[in-house]
Amino acid sequence: MTRQRATAVGFVAVLLWSLLALFTVGSAPTPPFLLNTLCFAIGGTLGLIWAVLSGTIASLRAVPIKVYVFGTLGLFGYHALYFSALRLAPPAEAGLIAYLWPLLIVIFSGLLPGESHGKGHIFGALLGFAGAALIIMGGGEGFSTQYAAGYGLALLCALTWSGYSVFSRLLGKAPTATVAVFCLATAVLSLPVHLVFEQTIWPDSTLGWAAIAGLGIGPVGLAFFVWDIGVKHGDIQLLGTSSYAAPVMSTFVLVLFGVAAPSATLLWAAILITGGAFIAARASFGSSN
């Protein structure tokens, strides 16, 4: 597969993740770790079927255990944090803070061989975090302490996924089929946590079950497989840049379906985060030339 094609394949994940917040809200009142269990079981099972049909299932035996541990912690940690954040804070605000991960991918990618940082990276990072601060402060109306826990979890989401994405680049020899194992292991880890800490609440409508199925097939399923191909074999800087479309698309999807109200605060936060990420990405392109 060419570098350009791998990058295009990776961008499919960005399109799918724009639906993550909407489907997560639609899955309420299912608690976060039960949601993790159901969605990753669907995504992992479909991935395992694909691995069997494509003939790559045998290659999984040669993958070092540390790769499985790394991938499982990345997927389990991010989504446990993400689902919890959207339960503890307004979905649009929590989603935009969590979507600082594209900016952080550009910043962290400087740790990779042959990459470096410049003033543009620092300025872009400051703009991105200014956007997050604008959301947290409620557009100047004051810090909403009742949502502080959700904001904090959303920020941890961004750190977790950006770290997972950047360091996946160093695991380029691991086949994409390993993602199926990551998903299934994440489902297995999520179940006991749910049983110990949460009350079992199933979706109370057909729409709720449809949202869970949608998560497992798309944003919590296919998205991870195409993203793995993109970050390992494509242009990770270009993927980071294109990922900045996700927070904007995600927020407008929430507004379109009436989950979030349109506001100047959301618009300016999206502009700041996207603009900061774009500046950081341009600095990355310049330093690599």
Side-chain angles (χ1 to χ4, degrees):
M1 180 179 294
T2 65
R3 181 179 175 88
Q4 290 79 10
R5 184 177 179 184
T7 303
V9 170
F11 182 70
V12 173
V14 178
L15 299 177
L16 292 172
W17 286 330
S18 68
L19 300 174
L20 182 60
L22 177 66
F23 286 163
T24 299
V25 173
S27 67
T30 306
F33 286 98
L34 177 56
L35 191 60
N36 252 14
T37 302
L38 296 172
C39 294
F40 279 102
I42 295 171
T45 299
L46 293 176
L48 207 58
I49 293 173
W50 168 78
V52 172
L53 295 177
S54 64
T56 58
I57 189 70
S59 65
L60 298 180
R61 298 193 187 98
V63 177
I65 187 65
K66 65 180 181 180
V67 174
Y68 289 123
V69 172
F70 167 79
T72 300
L73 290 178
L75 295 191
F76 174 78
Y78 173 79
H79 284 84
L81 291 167
Y82 184 84
F83 290 141
S84 298
L86 263 67
R87 290 289 187 265
L88 296 176
E93 285 85 342
L96 277 173
I97 294 173
Y99 272 123
L100 280 170
W101 61 260
L103 173 61
L104 294 176
I105 284 178
V106 176
I107 300 300
F108 292 161
S109 65
L111 300 174
L112 295 171
E115 300 292 343
S116 62
H117 290 140
K119 293 181 180 179
H121 295 98
I122 299 174
F123 182 62
L126 290 175
L127 274 184
F129 279 104
L134 180 62
I135 301 170
I136 295 174
M137 297 302 292
E141 298 176 1
F143 186 87
S144 300
T145 56
Q146 60 178 322
Y147 301 131
Y151 296 147
L153 292 177
L155 183 57
L156 287 177
C157 287
L159 292 169
T160 299
W161 190 249
S162 57
Y164 168 84
S165 298
V166 170
F167 288 109
S168 288
R169 184 80 168 195
L170 303 178
L171 304 175
K173 294 183 179 180
T176 295
T178 57
V179 176
V181 179
F182 300 165
C183 290
L184 292 174
T186 297
V188 170
L189 284 177
S190 298
L191 182 57
V193 177
H194 160 66
L195 294 175
V196 172
F197 295 104
E198 297 177 337
Q199 178 183 358
T200 300
I201 304 176
W202 300 104
D204 53 11
S205 67
T206 302
L207 185 61
W209 282 109
I212 290 176
L215 281 169
I217 294 171
V220 191
L222 176 62
F224 297 126
F225 293 88
V226 294
W227 184 249
D228 186 78
I229 293 172
V231 296
K232 286 180 178 177
H233 308 294
D235 186 332
I236 193 170
Q237 294 286 358
L238 183 56
L239 272 177
T241 304
S242 65
S243 295
Y244 305 136
V248 178
M249 291 190 295
S250 179
T251 301
F252 281 108
V253 166
L254 290 172
V255 172
L256 179 64
F257 282 86
V259 178
S263 69
T265 299
L266 287 176
L267 177 61
W268 280 110
I271 291 173
L272 284 171
I273 292 173
T274 304
F278 179 73
I279 291 172
R282 283 182 60 87
S284 292
F285 289 136
S287 63
S288 64
N289 292 332

